[in-house]
Amino acid sequence: MIIDVSPEELDGASLVRVVAARLAVQACAPRTWADLRLPAQERARIPHELHIVGWSALVENRPEDAAGLLDLVEAVRETRPGTVATFGDDLSGVTVRIDLSGVADADGLHRLLKRELGFPAFYGRNWNAFWDAVTGLVETPGALHFTGWPDFAARLPEDAETLRSLLTDLADFHRTAGGEPRPLVTYA
């Protein structure tokens, strides 16, 4: 799961709410990092990976929020040992792992992509919205590793082909924009 903490216009409470929403614990309406700790620990489906983007600016400009977020990540790791957390300024060196084994339909796939890739709340859960998100709304990670791909492709062959094609086009998009072709994608 990618959590972007770089928006400078957010106040501390807003950042807490943004992180709560990304962790899907917004029902508790937290206003402080302490308010968020227990609901995050009690969350039934804690992410296996947390990739925090915009870390340096957060540490420099709002050290109290950086400390609160770090404490929250450690609380999540206490509840789910083995949780991977990265803190950086971009995603170029990050591999996001996405488990497709529980995906039963196109809507479920788009919900999973939204959650794991950090798409905004208004994401439309369709392929046009996916393209808009990955080319202009969120940063593309350096690599994507899909697990459960063969079974997923058998269940949803058209969506599997569309996703594979769009990810190939995305690498070309980055290459033609003068950057490294990314993401590197593996299917297992």
Side-chain angles (χ1 to χ4, degrees):
M1 171 181 292
I2 298 169
I3 301 175
D4 188 349
V5 296
S6 59
E8 308 252 335
E9 67 276 0
L10 295 175
D11 63 24
S14 295
L15 183 57
V16 169
R17 287 193 298 272
V18 166
V19 171
R22 292 292 298 129
L23 292 174
V25 293
Q26 67 271 25
C28 66
R31 293 192 315 228
T32 68
W33 292 107
D35 293 343
L36 186 53
R37 184 182 173 113
L38 185 60
Q41 286 180 303
E42 292 177 343
R43 182 172 177 244
R45 191 159 184 244
I46 297 172
H48 295 281
E49 299 179 358
L50 296 170
H51 302 289
I52 312 300
V53 181
W55 184 248
S56 292
L58 187 68
V59 168
E60 183 177 327
N61 299 321
R62 297 184 356 221
E64 67 287 343
D65 279 332
L69 181 56
L70 191 57
D71 184 55
L72 178 67
V73 169
E74 288 306 312
V76 167
R77 290 169 121 179
E78 286 173 14
T79 304
R80 185 182 192 116
T83 297
V84 174
T86 63
F87 300 85
D89 295 325
D90 67 39
L91 294 171
S92 60
V94 171
T95 298
V96 174
R97 289 162 183 75
I98 301 176
D99 181 4
L100 298 168
S101 61
V103 174
D105 57 26
D107 188 60
L109 172 61
H110 284 284
R111 288 179 188 277
L112 177 66
L113 293 170
K114 175 185 174 191
R115 182 181 72 232
E116 296 301 321
L117 297 176
F119 293 170
F122 59 83
Y123 174 65
R125 297 195 313 257
N126 62 62
W127 293 119
N128 288 331
F130 175 84
W131 184 254
D132 291 344
V134 296
T135 59
L137 297 176
V138 298
E139 183 181 352
T140 305
L144 293 173
H145 178 73
F146 291 99
T147 59
W149 184 268
D151 291 337
F152 161 73
R155 282 190 309 276
L156 300 168
E158 290 179 20
D159 288 306
E161 181 56 36
T162 300
L163 179 57
R164 187 185 292 261
S165 177
L166 287 172
L167 291 172
T168 299
D169 291 348
L170 181 59
D172 291 340
F173 172 83
H174 285 289
R175 183 182 302 114
T176 59
E180 290 293 316
R182 69 180 196 192
L184 171 67
V185 183
T186 55
Y187 307 90

